[in-house]
Amino acid sequence: MTAAAVLRSEWIKIRSLRSVAGSLTAVFLATMAVTVLSFATVGQAEADNADADLVFGAFYALNFGQIAAISFGATAISSEYVNGALRLSLAAVPRRTLFYTVKMSLIGGTALAVGLVTSFSSFLVGQLFMGDYAIGLGEPGALRAAVGSGIYLALMTLLAAGLTVLLRSAVAVLSLLIPFILIVSFVVGDVAGGVADYLPDRAGQLVLHQYPDSSIGPWTGLAVTAAWAGAALLAGWWALRRRDA
Amino acid sequence: MTSIDVNELIKDYGATRAVDRLTFSVRPGRVTGFLGPNGAGKSTTMRLVLGLDRPTGGTATIGGRVYAALNDPLRRVGVLLDAQAAHGSRTARDHLLTLATSNGLGRARVEEVLEEAGLGRVGGRRVKTFSLGMRQRLGIAAALLGDPEVIMLDEPSNGLDPEGIIWVRELMKRLAREGRTVLVSSHLMNETSSFADHLIVLGQGRLLIDMPMQEFLDSRSRPRVRVRVTKTDSPRFSEALTRKGLRAEHGQDGFWTVEAARAAEIGTLAAAEGIPVLQLIDEQTTLEQAYLDLTVGAAEFESASDTRTTRQEA
């Protein structure tokens, strides 16, 4: 049994389930749709503000793409927890660490690829609508933000995937993470100041700012998100190895 | 020669002992029926053999190795645990392809087993459109993928139509004839008696029986004869039986049922009395009777002494 064979098998699992392949596609489609809608309508008006961060603004649509990324990570895993599917998967690939490593690498890898395409596309397409306010990848911080945003999407995907192994349910993970990102992090972030910069989404999004206003730098922020994702992946690995299937 | 060897196997779920110091071997070249009431530990034992659940104690090996140590295990062991395990939104073909690919098996093999299971024309359909019987066939197709020497099927006839049941029966017999090791759990006694050569019976996680089926039936059967004579001869026949000290009952269908007797004995007796015998049958204990006879004790013990909730078999 080779890792390559397991990788091919896992890829068939992803592409053969509409909900999973659909979530992955939605990372790109949702981001692009919001990019076009928002930049064509209020893009220039927003940029007209004196304190506008043009780089951060350029990645506005990422907020929607990340919901799809989280759904992708959660559904790709949760399909194994329907009706004992995992038992059959582990009968085929009984080496659990190999199974887990390959599965997560593939989920992370595809999310990174789609994430990078999405972030660059969103940036470039959005700027088409910005007229005099348009910036290029040469703008200070823009390239870093575009690359960082792709990595950010992959990390949020893995955070969701690791948690789903732990909780064995996409519904549980989505109802935990989505309200957290949409509400808790938003509210706490404005109130608590420094501590909020260590929340998984807030920390990672520092990389999107032209001049991050934080005690930690843009890449360090992304590393904090990576630590969250890493913790979730470790917890998932521990759970998969230890539990009866 | 690959056998399944279970040795002193124990599995506890909290305070409940699902498998209790189980020791048996499943040998190649014959179909071994795996019987026991719900919750007896059949499915748990199968999961332990596959390394899906971790044993509390003891070992379970296939050909002397633990399952997880097998390279490309589907080529060695084919397994049907739960026909529902195939994801409903996947096509049957893709479902099999995910399993085949991981074990280095190709598309051609997937098409072969789809054909063999009678699903050749519906391979492109999503599993959620399948009836329970079709899912069962898909599960069996998955077990056959790697042309394995060992086949373990948990309740394979569930939901199958009569045609499907015959197919599974003939399939299992053929696999055993080819020298493979075949372990089949079931709760259908008559069904099991139609294919099993050997029986392993569990009760409350313990081994109750491990013997050839015929031997089990013989050990459980009380000789009994069904005999029919003409109406006019009936009183004379009854007298003759009583004289011999035999207990007999006259049924609605015109047959006499004579307990603790063999056909040869009754035939000789009737001949000596000059009574023409119309029909004479040695009654064979069915597997169902023998099994119920065996487990009724265990079940009574269970209801009397064990009020703990037992883990539902998955």
Side-chain angles (χ1 to χ4, degrees), chain A residues 1-2 5-6 91-95 98, chain B residues 65 67-78 99-105 146 148-149:
Chain A
M1 170 157 304
T2 64
V6 180
V93 186
R95 288 160 59 192
L98 174 71
Chain B
R65 298 168 70 191
Y67 185 85
L70 300 177
N71 196 32
D72 290 341
L74 297 187
R75 291 167 179 266
R76 306 289 305 281
V77 183
L99 296 170
T101 310
S102 65
N103 278 247
L105 297 156
E149 310 136 69

Side-chain angles (χ1 to χ4, degrees), chain A residues 1 9 16 91 241 244-245, chain B residues 11 52 54 67 71 90 98:
Chain A
M1 170 157 304
S9 158
S16 62
R241 275 188 61 91
D244 287 341
Chain B
K11 179 64 181 178
L52 295 172
R54 209 177 290 270
Y67 185 85
N71 196 32
R90 230 173 236 133
T98 61

